[in-house]
Amino acid sequence: MFNVFVSRQLPGKGLDKLKSSCNVTVYPPDQNISKEELLTAVKDQDAIITMLSDPVDEDVIKAGNRLQVIANYAVGFNNIHVDAATSRGIKVVNTPDVLTNATADLAWALLMSTARRVVEGDHLTRTGQFKGWEPELLLGAEVYGKTLGIVGAGRIGQAVAKRAVGFGMPVLYHNRTRLPESIEKECSIRYVNLDTLLTNSDFVSLHCPLTPETKHLIGERELELMKPTAVLVNTARGPVVDERALVHALKNGVIYGAGLDVFENEPALHPGLSELPNVVLTPHIASAGMETRFRMVDMVVNDVLAVLESRRPQNLVNPEIYHKEEI
Ligand code: GLV
Ligand code: GLV
């Protein structure tokens, strides 16, 4: 029997599939595991299924004396020290693709609700302040025909861009590497540098992974480049935005508003952020569509079984591991 540790209770019954060949331990408290507990828990495990909030750093990886695979229940894997895993021959897998549409949908939900002040309107209505139709009640930013800027045009960025067709929006994108022309055509997107994107977009939506290069990609200078009427949407990772600079910009009318699903020091919010009327805040729920979260369980389970049964997993983050084995 293999030992598998799961750091959080997962939706549905997908984990049952592991139980015929593995001793499965699920971290019992319904809260995020600490690094100390993870250090102890990883010992003698053949596989661990981790959450994006778990710090799977070098210490944890070293403590995994039998570890063969780390399966992150997320597409983003900035919480894992992948190089440390690779150098120890440990496979890292994640859950791409299944959550692309759910995430793109939430990016649009934040874009629309920030632009059209849906949350302010909901609050006003449910607190009895709606006294009848008014010509100037909650005037907001219009979406149709405006320019959308996508930062990070991977699967999710492309899915967000495709949804812009119905809104008649020209779409600019910036990506570490320019996409093939066929994809640019398919998504009707135009490649520009980041400054051009920020200067010309009415809505800027972030879809890049968090890496040392993208930390604080959007800071004071970048916010200053944006239009005072522009909305920033972040469903990627909090630290891509300098949250202190963002709060300052939102307070001082440097930009119009922001729709945020992720935060720099999650779950903490930068002081002042939650008091601002021109932000819509959601608690990192972009992939939280019902079908998506069930399918993500199946994905991590299938890839854990693949590794334990010496098959190649579907969603390997560190494929270079195979070259290493061959050498
Ligand atoms: C969510 O943020 C994920 O990376 O899956
Ligand atoms: C994530 O899956 C992305 O590539 O955008």
mmCIF file of all heavy atoms in Angstrom, residues 67-69 84-91 318 321 324-325:
data_model
loop_
_atom_site.group_PDB
_atom_site.id
_atom_site.type_symbol
_atom_site.label_atom_id
_atom_site.label_comp_id
_atom_site.label_asym_id
_atom_site.label_seq_id
_atom_site.Cartn_x
_atom_site.Cartn_y
_atom_site.Cartn_z
ATOM 1 N N LEU A 67 8.745 10.563 -0.860
ATOM 2 C CA LEU A 67 7.815 11.253 -1.743
ATOM 3 C C LEU A 67 8.131 11.020 -3.224
ATOM 4 O O LEU A 67 9.265 11.162 -3.659
ATOM 5 C CB LEU A 67 7.890 12.753 -1.426
ATOM 6 C CG LEU A 67 6.697 13.621 -1.781
ATOM 7 C CD1 LEU A 67 5.413 13.065 -1.185
ATOM 8 C CD2 LEU A 67 6.936 15.037 -1.264
ATOM 9 N N GLN A 68 7.086 10.640 -3.986
ATOM 10 C CA GLN A 68 7.248 10.479 -5.435
ATOM 11 C C GLN A 68 6.531 11.557 -6.218
ATOM 12 O O GLN A 68 6.894 11.882 -7.336
ATOM 13 C CB GLN A 68 6.668 9.129 -5.880
ATOM 14 C CG GLN A 68 7.378 7.920 -5.342
ATOM 15 C CD GLN A 68 6.782 6.674 -5.999
ATOM 16 O OE1 GLN A 68 6.638 6.595 -7.214
ATOM 17 N NE2 GLN A 68 6.418 5.697 -5.197
ATOM 18 N N VAL A 69 5.446 12.079 -5.623
ATOM 19 C CA VAL A 69 4.655 13.049 -6.396
ATOM 20 C C VAL A 69 3.968 14.056 -5.463
ATOM 21 O O VAL A 69 3.469 13.700 -4.398
ATOM 22 C CB VAL A 69 3.630 12.335 -7.322
ATOM 23 C CG1 VAL A 69 2.736 11.378 -6.567
ATOM 24 C CG2 VAL A 69 2.773 13.342 -8.109
ATOM 25 N N ALA A 84 13.446 22.160 -6.289
ATOM 26 C CA ALA A 84 13.842 21.248 -5.204
ATOM 27 C C ALA A 84 13.205 19.878 -5.424
ATOM 28 O O ALA A 84 13.825 18.839 -5.176
ATOM 29 C CB ALA A 84 13.416 21.830 -3.854
ATOM 30 N N ALA A 85 11.964 19.869 -5.893
ATOM 31 C CA ALA A 85 11.293 18.593 -6.168
ATOM 32 C C ALA A 85 11.998 17.873 -7.314
ATOM 33 O O ALA A 85 12.328 16.685 -7.210
ATOM 34 C CB ALA A 85 9.823 18.841 -6.508
ATOM 35 N N THR A 86 12.255 18.602 -8.387
ATOM 36 C CA THR A 86 12.890 17.992 -9.564
ATOM 37 C C THR A 86 14.238 17.373 -9.184
ATOM 38 O O THR A 86 14.542 16.245 -9.582
ATOM 39 C CB THR A 86 13.093 19.051 -10.671
ATOM 40 O OG1 THR A 86 11.842 19.679 -10.915
ATOM 41 C CG2 THR A 86 13.609 18.408 -11.957
ATOM 42 N N SER A 87 15.026 18.112 -8.394
ATOM 43 C CA SER A 87 16.366 17.609 -8.094
ATOM 44 C C SER A 87 16.306 16.355 -7.226
ATOM 45 O O SER A 87 17.266 15.595 -7.158
ATOM 46 C CB SER A 87 17.213 18.703 -7.445
ATOM 47 O OG SER A 87 16.712 18.956 -6.159
ATOM 48 N N ARG A 88 15.178 16.128 -6.577
ATOM 49 C CA ARG A 88 15.028 14.897 -5.794
ATOM 50 C C ARG A 88 14.228 13.835 -6.532
ATOM 51 O O ARG A 88 13.804 12.830 -5.946
ATOM 52 C CB ARG A 88 14.342 15.215 -4.470
ATOM 53 C CG ARG A 88 15.214 16.097 -3.645
ATOM 54 C CD ARG A 88 14.616 16.502 -2.338
ATOM 55 N NE ARG A 88 15.748 16.932 -1.523
ATOM 56 C CZ ARG A 88 16.288 16.220 -0.549
ATOM 57 N NH1 ARG A 88 15.750 15.090 -0.186
ATOM 58 N NH2 ARG A 88 17.335 16.653 0.088
ATOM 59 N N GLY A 89 13.930 14.091 -7.795
ATOM 60 C CA GLY A 89 13.205 13.109 -8.597
ATOM 61 C C GLY A 89 11.720 13.041 -8.267
ATOM 62 O O GLY A 89 11.053 12.045 -8.535
ATOM 63 N N ILE A 90 11.189 14.109 -7.671
ATOM 64 C CA ILE A 90 9.768 14.114 -7.287
ATOM 65 C C ILE A 90 8.959 14.816 -8.371
ATOM 66 O O ILE A 90 9.297 15.935 -8.784
ATOM 67 C CB ILE A 90 9.577 14.835 -5.932
ATOM 68 C CG1 ILE A 90 10.347 14.083 -4.840
ATOM 69 C CG2 ILE A 90 8.100 14.966 -5.578
ATOM 70 C CD1 ILE A 90 10.464 14.860 -3.527
ATOM 71 N N LYS A 91 7.915 14.159 -8.839
ATOM 72 C CA LYS A 91 7.075 14.758 -9.879
ATOM 73 C C LYS A 91 6.096 15.744 -9.264
ATOM 74 O O LYS A 91 5.575 15.515 -8.169
ATOM 75 C CB LYS A 91 6.339 13.662 -10.643
ATOM 76 C CG LYS A 91 7.316 12.914 -11.540
ATOM 77 C CD LYS A 91 6.928 11.521 -11.874
ATOM 78 C CE LYS A 91 8.082 10.848 -12.603
ATOM 79 N NZ LYS A 91 8.613 9.687 -11.915
ATOM 80 N N ASN A 318 6.991 19.423 -14.136
ATOM 81 C CA ASN A 318 8.450 19.327 -14.317
ATOM 82 C C ASN A 318 8.823 18.141 -15.222
ATOM 83 O O ASN A 318 9.452 17.180 -14.776
ATOM 84 C CB ASN A 318 9.165 19.250 -12.958
ATOM 85 C CG ASN A 318 8.614 18.147 -12.048
ATOM 86 O OD1 ASN A 318 7.573 17.543 -12.333
ATOM 87 N ND2 ASN A 318 9.325 17.863 -10.972
ATOM 88 N N ILE A 321 12.113 16.042 -15.581
ATOM 89 C CA ILE A 321 12.424 14.934 -14.683
ATOM 90 C C ILE A 321 12.661 13.633 -15.464
ATOM 91 O O ILE A 321 13.475 12.811 -15.085
ATOM 92 C CB ILE A 321 11.277 14.789 -13.655
ATOM 93 C CG1 ILE A 321 11.785 14.196 -12.363
ATOM 94 C CG2 ILE A 321 10.124 13.988 -14.189
ATOM 95 C CD1 ILE A 321 10.869 14.486 -11.201
ATOM 96 N N LYS A 324 16.074 13.588 -16.962
ATOM 97 C CA LYS A 324 17.041 13.266 -15.909
ATOM 98 C C LYS A 324 17.134 11.765 -15.689
ATOM 99 O O LYS A 324 18.214 11.201 -15.578
ATOM 100 C CB LYS A 324 16.613 13.932 -14.586
ATOM 101 C CG LYS A 324 17.234 15.273 -14.365
ATOM 102 C CD LYS A 324 16.895 15.802 -12.999
ATOM 103 C CE LYS A 324 17.769 15.158 -11.961
ATOM 104 N NZ LYS A 324 17.841 15.917 -10.736
ATOM 105 N N GLU A 325 15.942 11.134 -15.659
ATOM 106 C CA GLU A 325 15.929 9.679 -15.412
ATOM 107 C C GLU A 325 16.607 8.926 -16.540
ATOM 108 O O GLU A 325 17.275 7.926 -16.344
ATOM 109 C CB GLU A 325 14.487 9.189 -15.228
ATOM 110 C CG GLU A 325 13.957 9.506 -13.834
ATOM 111 C CD GLU A 325 12.489 9.132 -13.653
ATOM 112 O OE1 GLU A 325 11.895 8.531 -14.562
ATOM 113 O OE2 GLU A 325 11.952 9.454 -12.579
#
